[in-house]
Amino acid sequence: MGTILPIACRLKKIEWFVGNVGAETGSTSFIHKITKNGTDLATTYSWSSSGSGGNSYTRSASPDVDFAAGDSFNLRLTSPTGYNSTTQIGRVRVTFYFEVREN
């Protein structure tokens, strides 16, 4: 599963924008992994919503992961694993910045 990348590229940056529509004040930590060709990469990317005070916020990471043309890419949330009112923080938008690689 994931997006098939049509060209060779490098994932340079990931930005998470948490809109926090419900003004939730949970202090959950989130852990993400990049999936390449169906396999989770070893590096994890984590961030906490602690201190958000119910406001929207942004987080970012700079993975520098190379992909060949035809590779698949996905981002997988690995923690928290359940849903409850203390982990609810609102809607999330994720932007991925890729750099085109020369052949």
Side-chain angles (χ1 to χ4, degrees):
M1 291 203 60
T3 301
I4 305 297
L5 300 169
I7 58 174
C9 56
R10 175 177 287 166
L11 178 58
K12 296 294 287 180
K13 187 175 183 180
I14 304 171
E15 284 188 339
W16 292 269
F17 171 81
V18 183
N20 211 356
V21 174
E24 303 295 337
T25 58
S27 60
T28 302
S29 291
F30 295 87
I31 300 174
H32 297 83
K33 287 186 176 183
I34 295 171
T35 301
K36 181 177 178 179
N37 297 324
T39 302
D40 286 343
L41 301 182
T43 302
T44 60
Y45 303 91
S46 60
W47 46 271
S48 174
S49 65
S50 300
S52 66
N55 298 312
S56 62
Y57 59 91
T58 60
R59 299 292 188 266
S60 63
S62 300
D64 278 334
V65 176
D66 287 323
F67 292 90
D71 282 351
S72 68
F73 158 79
N74 210 345
L75 183 69
R76 186 167 76 88
L77 178 70
T78 61
S79 177
T81 57
Y83 174 84
N84 61 55
S85 61
T86 61
T87 60
Q88 179 180 347
I89 57 160
R91 294 178 179 91
V92 176
R93 290 185 182 100
V94 183
T95 305
F96 305 98
Y97 297 87
F98 287 92
E99 174 182 271
V100 174
R101 308 291 290 172
E102 293 186 29
N103 292 332

